[in-house]
Amino acid sequence: MLVLGVGNILLQDEGIGIHLLKFMEKHFAALPGVTYLDGGTLSFTLAGEIETHDHLLVLDAVELHAPPGALCCYEDEAMDYFLGTAKRSAHEVGLLDLMDIARLSGHLPKRRALVGIQYGVFGWGEEPTPTVKENIPLAGRLAANLLQKWAVEEHLPCQQRHAPKLELAK
């Protein structure tokens, strides 16, 4: 499982993905099978790293049209949809571009998710704004719970991965 933090830590809330990654490295270092990677402002060189993992969790600042500090978690197709409809980032390469490279090469991670925090300010500064910063622990727990869920799913027999559909009695 790859946890990829992205952002520019010199631009306050733009660096939230990196700050969140550092929080997770400190508080969730013992999660088995997890690799933490600082992706900076993204680059095509990350495509190879993404393609070698079956699970990808991206941590980033997001535009949700919500108050600063709001959290989101998009999994699998919901992540793909969000990336396809969200405003392009200021990063060198967009996350959508990296996902497209993985998809076209046949190596799209089978499980992928984006945990994001609504940014407030992209001004000069090495610390996120207080409203955004105070939600880093909550976002970190959300991300860790998702990683643990994926780990459990990997150890379940196929027939137990999805709950059976229940029909209402007539």
Side-chain angles (χ1 to χ4, degrees):
M1 291 183 273
L2 176 64
V3 178
L4 178 65
V6 295
N8 184 339
I9 60 169
L10 299 177
L11 295 176
Q12 287 182 295
D13 293 348
E14 159 64 12
I16 197 65
I18 306 302
H19 293 291
L20 182 50
L21 179 78
K22 289 178 181 178
F23 176 87
M24 293 197 65
E25 285 177 314
K26 178 178 179 183
H27 297 282
F28 300 104
L31 289 175
V34 175
T35 301
Y36 294 103
L37 180 63
D38 180 339
T41 56
L42 295 175
S43 162
F44 283 119
T45 61
L46 293 171
E49 192 69 37
I50 290 170
E51 292 175 357
T52 62
H53 288 86
D54 290 333
H55 298 75
L56 171 67
L57 175 56
V58 178
L59 312 172
D60 200 2
V62 292
E63 175 57 77
L64 301 171
H65 304 285
L71 303 180
C72 71
C73 180
Y74 297 110
E75 291 184 61
D76 302 321
E77 291 82 13
M79 176 184 170
D80 300 340
Y81 179 79
F82 178 78
L83 293 178
T85 58
K87 180 184 167 209
R88 292 285 185 156
S89 72
H91 306 313
E92 174 189 334
V93 175
L95 187 55
L96 179 61
D97 299 320
L98 289 172
M99 294 294 98
D100 285 341
I101 291 169
R103 187 176 291 107
L104 290 171
S105 68
H107 295 100
L108 184 68
K110 67 179 179 178
R111 296 303 311 266
R112 56 207 174 278
L114 168 68
V115 170
I117 301 178
Q118 170 68 54
Y119 63 86
V121 176
F122 279 2
W124 290 108
E126 294 182 21
E127 289 293 321
T129 55
T131 307
V132 170
K133 187 176 185 175
E134 71 185 20
N135 280 333
I136 289 175
L138 183 58
R141 287 191 298 276
L142 176 64
N145 287 341
L146 183 59
L147 293 170
Q148 290 173 327
K149 179 181 98 168
W150 286 349
V152 168
E153 289 175 353
E154 284 298 301
H155 293 93
L156 290 176
C158 292
Q159 66 270 20
Q160 292 181 0
R161 288 188 184 170
H162 303 285
K165 291 185 178 181
L166 300 176
E167 294 185 23
L168 296 175
K170 295 181 181 180

